[in-house]
Amino acid sequence: VEDEQDCWANTHLFDVFELATGEFLGTVPAPEQGFTRPLFVEDDTVLAAVTDEMGTVRLKKYRLVVD
């Protein structure tokens, strides 16, 4: 019997779509611990509320980059 902790990951993943066409662009992981969901996305800019280990919430700005 496997331990449940070995079966589940604690990573948030987000599916990204092109707004104009609805085309699926891919799945990206959260950029850091405490990031749960974006509040605003426009072009390559993402704003999100991020909670640190002390429970402090900060608004952070990220830039989407295509590799």
Coordinates of all heavy atoms in Angstrom, one line a residue:
V1 N 0.9 -1.2 0.0 CA 0.0 0.0 0.0 C 0.9 1.2 0.0 O 1.8 1.4 0.8 CB -0.9 0.0 1.2 CG1 -1.7 1.3 1.3 CG2 -1.8 -1.2 1.2
E2 N 0.7 2.1 -0.9 CA 1.5 3.3 -1.0 C 1.0 4.4 0.0 O -0.2 4.5 0.3 CB 1.3 3.9 -2.5 CG 2.0 3.1 -3.5 CD 2.0 3.8 -4.9 OE1 2.1 5.0 -4.9 OE2 1.8 3.1 -5.9
D3 N 1.9 5.2 0.4 CA 1.6 6.3 1.3 C 0.9 7.4 0.5 O 1.3 7.7 -0.6 CB 2.8 6.8 1.9 CG 2.6 7.9 3.0 OD1 1.4 8.2 3.3 OD2 3.6 8.6 3.4
E4 N -0.2 7.9 1.0 CA -1.0 8.9 0.2 C -0.1 10.1 -0.2 O -0.3 10.7 -1.2 CB -2.2 9.4 1.0 CG -3.4 8.5 0.9 CD -4.6 9.1 1.5 OE1 -4.8 10.3 1.5 OE2 -5.4 8.3 2.0
Q5 N 0.8 10.5 0.7 CA 1.7 11.7 0.4 C 2.5 11.4 -0.8 O 2.9 12.4 -1.5 CB 2.5 12.0 1.6 CG 1.7 12.5 2.8 CD 2.6 12.8 4.0 OE1 3.8 12.5 4.0 NE2 2.0 13.5 5.0
D6 N 2.9 10.2 -1.1 CA 3.6 9.9 -2.3 C 2.8 9.9 -3.6 O 3.4 10.0 -4.7 CB 4.3 8.5 -2.2 CG 5.3 8.4 -1.1 OD1 5.9 9.5 -0.7 OD2 5.5 7.3 -0.5
C7 N 1.5 9.9 -3.4 CA 0.6 9.8 -4.6 C 0.2 11.2 -5.1 O -0.3 11.3 -6.2 CB -0.6 9.0 -4.3 SG -0.3 7.3 -3.9
W8 N 0.2 12.2 -4.3 CA -0.3 13.5 -4.6 C 0.8 14.6 -4.6 O 1.6 14.6 -3.8 CB -1.4 13.9 -3.7 CG -2.6 13.0 -3.7 CD1 -2.8 12.0 -2.9 CD2 -3.6 13.0 -4.7 NE1 -3.9 11.3 -3.2 CE2 -4.5 11.9 -4.3 CE3 -3.9 13.7 -5.8 CZ2 -5.6 11.6 -5.1 CZ3 -5.0 13.4 -6.5 CH2 -5.9 12.4 -6.2
A9 N 0.7 15.4 -5.6 CA 1.7 16.6 -5.7 C 1.0 17.8 -5.2 O -0.3 17.9 -5.3 CB 2.2 16.8 -7.1
N10 N 1.7 18.8 -4.7 CA 1.1 20.0 -4.2 C 1.5 21.2 -5.1 O 2.0 22.2 -4.6 CB 1.6 20.3 -2.7 CG 0.8 21.4 -2.1 OD1 -0.2 21.7 -2.5 ND2 1.4 21.9 -1.0
T11 N 1.4 21.0 -6.4 CA 1.8 22.0 -7.4 C 0.5 22.5 -8.1 O -0.3 21.7 -8.5 CB 2.7 21.4 -8.4 OG1 3.9 20.9 -7.7 CG2 3.2 22.4 -9.4
H12 N 0.4 23.8 -8.2 CA -0.7 24.4 -8.9 C -0.3 24.5 -10.4 O 0.7 25.0 -10.7 CB -1.1 25.7 -8.4 CG -1.7 25.7 -7.0 ND1 -3.0 25.8 -6.8 CD2 -1.1 25.5 -5.8 CE1 -3.3 25.7 -5.5 NE2 -2.2 25.5 -4.9
L13 N -1.1 24.0 -11.3 CA -0.9 24.1 -12.7 C -2.0 24.9 -13.3 O -3.2 24.8 -12.9 CB -0.8 22.7 -13.3 CG 0.3 21.8 -12.8 CD1 0.1 20.4 -13.4 CD2 1.6 22.4 -13.2
F14 N -1.7 25.7 -14.4 CA -2.7 26.5 -15.0 C -2.7 26.3 -16.5 O -1.6 26.2 -17.1 CB -2.4 28.0 -14.8 CG -2.5 28.3 -13.3 CD1 -1.4 28.3 -12.5 CD2 -3.7 28.7 -12.7 CE1 -1.5 28.6 -11.1 CE2 -3.8 29.0 -11.4 CZ -2.7 28.9 -10.6
D15 N -3.8 26.0 -17.1 CA -3.9 25.9 -18.6 C -4.1 27.4 -19.1 O -4.8 28.2 -18.6 CB -5.2 25.1 -19.0 CG -5.1 23.7 -18.6 OD1 -3.9 23.2 -18.5 OD2 -6.1 23.0 -18.5
V16 N -3.3 27.6 -20.2 CA -3.2 29.0 -20.7 C -3.8 28.9 -22.2 O -3.4 28.0 -22.9 CB -1.8 29.5 -20.8 CG1 -1.7 30.9 -21.4 CG2 -1.1 29.5 -19.4
F17 N -4.7 29.9 -22.4 CA -5.4 29.9 -23.7 C -5.2 31.3 -24.4 O -5.1 32.3 -23.6 CB -6.9 29.6 -23.6 CG -7.2 28.3 -23.0 CD1 -7.2 28.0 -21.7 CD2 -7.5 27.2 -23.9 CE1 -7.5 26.8 -21.2 CE2 -7.8 26.0 -23.4 CZ -7.8 25.7 -22.1
E18 N -5.2 31.3 -25.7 CA -5.2 32.6 -26.4 C -6.6 33.2 -26.3 O -7.6 32.5 -26.6 CB -4.8 32.4 -27.9 CG -5.0 33.6 -28.8 CD -4.1 34.7 -28.4 OE1 -2.9 34.5 -28.1 OE2 -4.6 35.9 -28.4
L19 N -6.7 34.4 -25.8 CA -8.0 35.1 -25.6 C -8.8 35.2 -26.9 O -10.0 34.9 -26.9 CB -7.8 36.4 -24.9 CG -9.0 37.2 -24.6 CD1 -9.9 36.4 -23.5 CD2 -8.7 38.6 -24.0
A20 N -8.1 35.7 -27.9 CA -8.9 36.0 -29.2 C -9.4 34.7 -29.9 O -10.5 34.7 -30.4 CB -8.0 36.8 -30.1
T21 N -8.6 33.6 -29.8 CA -9.0 32.5 -30.6 C -9.4 31.3 -29.7 O -10.0 30.3 -30.3 CB -7.8 32.0 -31.5 OG1 -6.7 31.6 -30.6 CG2 -7.3 33.1 -32.4
G22 N -9.1 31.3 -28.5 CA -9.4 30.2 -27.6 C -8.4 29.0 -27.7 O -8.6 28.0 -27.2
E23 N -7.4 29.2 -28.5 CA -6.3 28.2 -28.8 C -5.6 27.9 -27.5 O -5.2 28.8 -26.7 CB -5.3 28.7 -29.8 CG -4.2 27.7 -30.0 CD -3.1 28.3 -30.9 OE1 -3.2 29.5 -31.3 OE2 -2.1 27.6 -31.2
F24 N -5.5 26.6 -27.2 CA -4.7 26.1 -26.0 C -3.2 26.3 -26.2 O -2.7 25.9 -27.2 CB -5.0 24.7 -25.7 CG -4.3 24.1 -24.6 CD1 -4.5 24.5 -23.3 CD2 -3.3 23.2 -24.8 CE1 -3.9 23.9 -22.2 CE2 -2.6 22.6 -23.7 CZ -2.9 23.0 -22.4
L25 N -2.6 27.1 -25.3 CA -1.2 27.4 -25.5 C -0.3 26.5 -24.7 O 0.9 26.4 -24.9 CB -0.9 28.9 -25.1 CG -1.7 29.9 -25.9 CD1 -1.4 31.3 -25.4 CD2 -1.3 29.8 -27.4
G26 N -0.8 25.9 -23.6 CA 0.0 25.0 -22.8 C -0.4 25.1 -21.3 O -1.2 25.9 -20.9
T27 N 0.3 24.3 -20.5 CA 0.1 24.2 -19.1 C 1.3 24.7 -18.4 O 2.4 24.3 -18.8 CB -0.2 22.8 -18.6 OG1 -1.4 22.4 -19.3 CG2 -0.5 22.8 -17.1
V28 N 1.2 25.6 -17.5 CA 2.3 26.2 -16.8 C 2.2 26.0 -15.3 O 1.1 26.1 -14.8 CB 2.5 27.7 -17.1 CG1 2.9 27.9 -18.6 CG2 1.3 28.5 -16.7
P29 N 3.3 25.7 -14.6 CA 3.2 25.6 -13.1 C 3.2 27.0 -12.5 O 3.6 28.0 -13.1 CB 4.5 24.9 -12.8 CG 5.5 25.3 -13.9 CD 4.6 25.5 -15.1
A30 N 2.7 27.1 -11.3 CA 2.7 28.3 -10.5 C 4.1 28.8 -10.4 O 5.0 27.9 -10.2 CB 2.1 28.1 -9.1
P31 N 4.4 30.1 -10.5 CA 5.8 30.5 -10.4 C 6.5 30.4 -9.1 O 7.7 30.4 -9.0 CB 5.7 32.0 -10.8 CG 4.3 32.4 -10.6 CD 3.5 31.1 -10.7
E32 N 5.7 30.3 -8.0 CA 6.3 30.2 -6.7 C 5.3 29.6 -5.7 O 4.1 29.7 -5.9 CB 6.9 31.5 -6.2 CG 5.8 32.6 -6.0 CD 6.4 33.9 -5.6 OE1 6.7 34.0 -4.4 OE2 6.6 34.7 -6.5
Q33 N 5.8 29.2 -4.5 CA 4.9 28.7 -3.5 C 4.0 29.9 -3.0 O 4.5 31.0 -2.9 CB 5.7 28.2 -2.3 CG 5.0 27.5 -1.2 CD 4.5 26.1 -1.7 OE1 5.0 25.6 -2.7 NE2 3.6 25.5 -1.0
G34 N 2.7 29.6 -2.7 CA 1.8 30.7 -2.3 C 1.0 31.3 -3.4 O 0.0 32.0 -3.2
F35 N 1.4 31.1 -4.6 CA 0.6 31.6 -5.8 C -0.5 30.6 -6.0 O -0.3 29.4 -6.3 CB 1.6 31.6 -7.0 CG 0.9 32.1 -8.3 CD1 1.3 33.4 -8.7 CD2 0.1 31.3 -9.1 CE1 0.7 33.9 -9.9 CE2 -0.4 31.8 -10.2 CZ -0.1 33.1 -10.7
T36 N -1.7 31.1 -5.9 CA -2.9 30.2 -6.1 C -3.7 30.4 -7.4 O -4.2 29.5 -8.0 CB -3.8 30.2 -4.9 OG1 -4.2 31.6 -4.7 CG2 -3.1 29.7 -3.7
R37 N -3.8 31.7 -7.8 CA -4.5 32.0 -9.0 C -4.3 33.4 -9.4 O -4.1 34.3 -8.6 CB -6.0 31.8 -8.9 CG -6.7 32.7 -7.9 CD -8.2 32.2 -7.8 NE -8.6 32.7 -6.5 CZ -9.8 33.3 -6.3 NH1 -10.6 33.5 -7.3 NH2 -10.1 33.6 -5.1
P38 N -4.2 33.7 -10.7 CA -4.0 35.0 -11.2 C -5.3 35.9 -11.0 O -6.4 35.4 -11.0 CB -3.7 34.9 -12.7 CG -4.1 33.5 -13.0 CD -4.3 32.7 -11.8
L39 N -5.0 37.2 -10.7 CA -6.1 38.1 -10.5 C -6.4 38.9 -11.8 O -7.5 39.3 -12.1 CB -5.8 39.1 -9.4 CG -5.5 38.5 -8.0 CD1 -5.1 39.6 -7.1 CD2 -6.8 37.8 -7.5
F40 N -5.4 39.0 -12.6 CA -5.4 39.9 -13.8 C -4.4 39.3 -14.8 O -3.2 39.1 -14.4 CB -5.2 41.3 -13.5 CG -5.1 42.2 -14.7 CD1 -6.2 42.7 -15.3 CD2 -3.8 42.5 -15.2 CE1 -6.1 43.6 -16.4 CE2 -3.7 43.4 -16.3 CZ -4.9 43.9 -16.9
V41 N -4.8 39.2 -16.1 CA -3.8 38.7 -17.1 C -4.1 39.6 -18.3 O -5.3 39.7 -18.8 CB -4.0 37.2 -17.5 CG1 -3.0 36.9 -18.6 CG2 -3.8 36.4 -16.2
E42 N -3.1 40.2 -18.9 CA -3.2 40.9 -20.2 C -1.8 40.8 -20.9 O -0.8 41.1 -20.3 CB -3.5 42.4 -19.9 CG -3.7 43.1 -21.2 CD -4.2 44.6 -21.0 OE1 -5.2 44.7 -20.3 OE2 -3.6 45.5 -21.6
D43 N -1.9 40.4 -22.1 CA -0.7 40.1 -22.9 C 0.2 39.2 -22.2 O -0.1 38.1 -21.9 CB -0.1 41.4 -23.4 CG -1.0 42.3 -24.2 OD1 -1.7 41.7 -25.0 OD2 -1.0 43.5 -24.1
D44 N 1.4 39.7 -21.9 CA 2.4 38.9 -21.2 C 2.5 39.2 -19.7 O 3.5 38.8 -19.0 CB 3.8 39.0 -21.8 CG 4.4 40.3 -21.7 OD1 3.7 41.3 -21.3 OD2 5.6 40.5 -22.0
T45 N 1.6 40.0 -19.1 CA 1.6 40.4 -17.7 C 0.5 39.7 -16.9 O -0.6 39.6 -17.3 CB 1.3 41.9 -17.6 OG1 2.3 42.6 -18.4 CG2 1.4 42.4 -16.2
V46 N 1.0 39.2 -15.8 CA 0.1 38.5 -14.8 C 0.2 39.1 -13.5 O 1.3 39.3 -13.0 CB 0.4 37.0 -14.7 CG1 -0.4 36.3 -13.7 CG2 0.3 36.3 -16.0
L47 N -0.9 39.5 -12.9 CA -0.9 40.0 -11.5 C -1.6 39.0 -10.6 O -2.6 38.4 -11.0 CB -1.7 41.4 -11.4 CG -1.1 42.6 -12.1 CD1 -2.0 43.8 -11.9 CD2 0.3 42.9 -11.5
A48 N -1.0 38.7 -9.5 CA -1.5 37.7 -8.6 C -1.3 38.0 -7.1 O -0.3 38.7 -6.8 CB -0.9 36.3 -8.9
A49 N -2.2 37.6 -6.3 CA -2.0 37.7 -4.8 C -1.2 36.5 -4.4 O -1.6 35.4 -4.7 CB -3.3 37.8 -4.1
V50 N -0.1 36.7 -3.7 CA 0.8 35.6 -3.3 C 0.9 35.6 -1.7 O 1.2 36.7 -1.2 CB 2.2 35.7 -3.9 CG1 3.1 34.5 -3.4 CG2 2.0 35.6 -5.4
T51 N 0.6 34.5 -1.1 CA 0.7 34.4 0.4 C 2.0 33.7 0.8 O 2.3 32.6 0.3 CB -0.5 33.6 0.9 OG1 -1.7 34.2 0.4 CG2 -0.6 33.6 2.4
D52 N 2.8 34.3 1.7 CA 4.0 33.7 2.1 C 3.7 32.8 3.3 O 2.6 32.7 3.8 CB 5.1 34.8 2.4 CG 4.8 35.7 3.6 OD1 3.9 35.3 4.4 OD2 5.4 36.7 3.7
E53 N 4.8 32.2 3.8 CA 4.7 31.2 4.9 C 4.2 31.9 6.2 O 3.7 31.2 7.1 CB 6.0 30.5 5.2 CG 7.1 31.4 5.5 CD 7.8 32.0 4.3 OE1 7.6 31.6 3.2 OE2 8.6 32.9 4.6
M54 N 4.2 33.2 6.4 CA 3.7 33.9 7.5 C 2.3 34.3 7.4 O 1.7 35.0 8.3 CB 4.6 35.1 7.8 CG 6.1 34.8 8.1 SD 6.3 33.9 9.7 CE 5.9 35.2 10.8
G55 N 1.7 34.1 6.2 CA 0.3 34.5 5.9 C 0.1 35.9 5.4 O -1.0 36.3 5.2
T56 N 1.3 36.5 5.1 CA 1.2 37.9 4.5 C 0.9 37.8 3.0 O 1.5 37.0 2.3 CB 2.5 38.6 4.7 OG1 2.9 38.6 6.1 CG2 2.5 40.0 4.1
V57 N -0.1 38.5 2.5 CA -0.5 38.5 1.1 C 0.1 39.7 0.5 O 0.0 40.9 0.9 CB -2.1 38.6 1.0 CG1 -2.5 38.6 -0.5 CG2 -2.7 37.4 1.7
R58 N 0.7 39.5 -0.7 CA 1.3 40.6 -1.5 C 0.8 40.5 -2.9 O 0.6 39.4 -3.4 CB 2.8 40.4 -1.4 CG 3.4 40.8 -0.1 CD 5.0 40.7 -0.2 NE 5.6 41.3 1.0 CZ 5.7 40.6 2.1 NH1 5.3 39.4 2.3 NH2 6.3 41.2 3.2
L59 N 0.7 41.6 -3.5 CA 0.3 41.6 -5.0 C 1.7 41.6 -5.7 O 2.5 42.4 -5.5 CB -0.4 42.9 -5.3 CG -0.9 43.0 -6.8 CD1 -1.8 41.9 -7.1 CD2 -1.5 44.4 -7.0
K60 N 1.8 40.6 -6.6 CA 3.0 40.5 -7.4 C 2.7 40.5 -8.9 O 1.7 40.0 -9.3 CB 3.8 39.2 -7.0 CG 4.2 39.2 -5.5 CD 5.1 38.0 -5.2 CE 6.5 38.4 -5.6 NZ 7.4 37.3 -5.1
K61 N 3.7 41.0 -9.6 CA 3.6 41.1 -11.1 C 4.5 40.1 -11.7 O 5.7 40.1 -11.3 CB 3.9 42.5 -11.5 CG 3.8 42.7 -13.0 CD 4.1 44.2 -13.3 CE 4.1 44.5 -14.8 NZ 4.4 45.9 -15.1
Y62 N 4.1 39.3 -12.7 CA 4.9 38.4 -13.4 C 4.8 38.6 -14.9 O 3.8 39.2 -15.4 CB 4.4 36.9 -13.1 CG 4.4 36.5 -11.7 CD1 3.3 36.7 -10.9 CD2 5.5 35.9 -11.1 CE1 3.3 36.3 -9.6 CE2 5.5 35.5 -9.8 CZ 4.4 35.8 -9.0 OH 4.5 35.4 -7.7
R63 N 5.8 38.2 -15.6 CA 5.8 38.3 -17.1 C 5.9 36.9 -17.6 O 6.7 36.1 -17.3 CB 7.0 39.1 -17.5 CG 7.0 39.4 -19.0 CD 8.1 40.4 -19.4 NE 9.4 39.9 -19.1 CZ 10.2 39.3 -19.9 NH1 9.8 39.0 -21.2 NH2 11.4 38.9 -19.6
L64 N 4.9 36.6 -18.6 CA 4.9 35.3 -19.2 C 6.0 35.3 -20.3 O 6.1 36.2 -21.1 CB 3.6 35.0 -19.9 CG 2.4 34.8 -18.9 CD1 1.1 34.7 -19.7 CD2 2.6 33.6 -18.1
V65 N 6.8 34.3 -20.4 CA 7.9 34.2 -21.3 C 7.8 32.8 -22.1 O 7.6 31.8 -21.5 CB 9.3 34.2 -20.6 CG1 10.4 34.1 -21.6 CG2 9.4 35.5 -19.8
V66 N 7.9 32.9 -23.4 CA 7.8 31.7 -24.2 C 9.3 31.2 -24.5 O 10.1 32.0 -24.9 CB 7.1 32.0 -25.5 CG1 7.1 30.7 -26.4 CG2 5.7 32.5 -25.3
D67 N 9.5 29.9 -24.1 CA 10.9 29.4 -24.4 C 11.0 28.9 -25.8 O 10.1 28.4 -26.4 CB 11.2 28.2 -23.4 CG 11.4 28.8 -22.0 OD1 11.8 29.9 -21.8 OD2 11.1 28.0 -21.1

